[in-house]
């Protein structure tokens, strides 16, 4: 998981990043914090490690699935826990019957 950005260390001008990219990326991996690149005093880019980038994608995937579940509950049929267990047992038995 990423840590909070350290304003003094993790927000850097693009010129400094260009000059010290290797060092900055190495430090980013060590601290596990993203880098915010500024241009003309404004944030223009964020640099993440590949792991952090994948984590963001996974978190968005999970959020979307949770939201889909919430939306489904409001608009579609729902099952109780026991109904779902019975449904899953039935599907498992059906697969055994089909395979056997």
């Amino acid at each position: 998981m990423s840590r909070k950005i350290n304003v003094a260390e993790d927000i850097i001008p693009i010129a400094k990043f260009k000059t010290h990219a290797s060092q900055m990326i190495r430090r980013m991996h060590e601290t596990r914090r993203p880098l915010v690149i500024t241009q003309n005093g404004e944030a223009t880019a964020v640099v993440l490690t590949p792991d952090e980038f994948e984590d963001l994608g996974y978190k968005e995937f999970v959020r979307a699935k949770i939201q889909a579940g919430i939306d489904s509950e409001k608009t579609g049929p729902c099952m109780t826990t026991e109904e779902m267990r019975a449904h899953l047992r039935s599907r498992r038995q059906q697969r055994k019957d089909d395979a056997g």
Side-chain angles (χ1 to χ4, degrees):
M1 291 306 279
S2 68
R3 299 177 186 162
K4 289 188 178 184
I5 291 174
N6 178 319
V7 175
E9 295 178 8
D10 301 331
I11 300 175
I12 58 173
I14 195 166
K16 183 176 181 181
F17 182 74
K18 284 181 186 178
T19 306
H20 304 285
S22 181
Q23 175 187 350
M24 299 279 121
I25 290 172
R26 191 172 25 259
R27 189 180 77 212
M28 182 182 64
H29 280 275
E30 290 169 1
T31 64
R32 297 176 50 207
R33 295 187 313 251
L35 293 174
V36 177
I37 310 297
T38 62
Q39 192 169 24
N40 299 322
E42 294 189 26
T44 57
V46 176
V47 181
L48 305 169
T49 66
D51 290 340
E52 286 293 320
F53 183 74
E54 286 181 18
D55 285 349
L56 283 175
Y58 180 72
K59 288 174 186 174
E60 184 55 35
F61 170 79
V62 169
R63 282 186 194 107
K65 291 297 181 184
I66 291 170
Q67 189 60 53
I70 291 168
D71 294 344
S72 174
E73 187 273 331
K74 293 176 183 174
T75 61
C78 293
M79 292 185 197
T80 65
T81 303
E82 278 308 310
E83 290 170 331
M84 179 55 74
R85 286 183 180 145
H87 173 73
L88 293 173
R89 278 192 294 271
S90 173
R91 286 182 60 190
R92 187 176 18 199
Q93 185 61 46
Q94 182 65 40
R95 282 194 207 127
K96 285 181 184 178
D97 294 345
D98 289 348

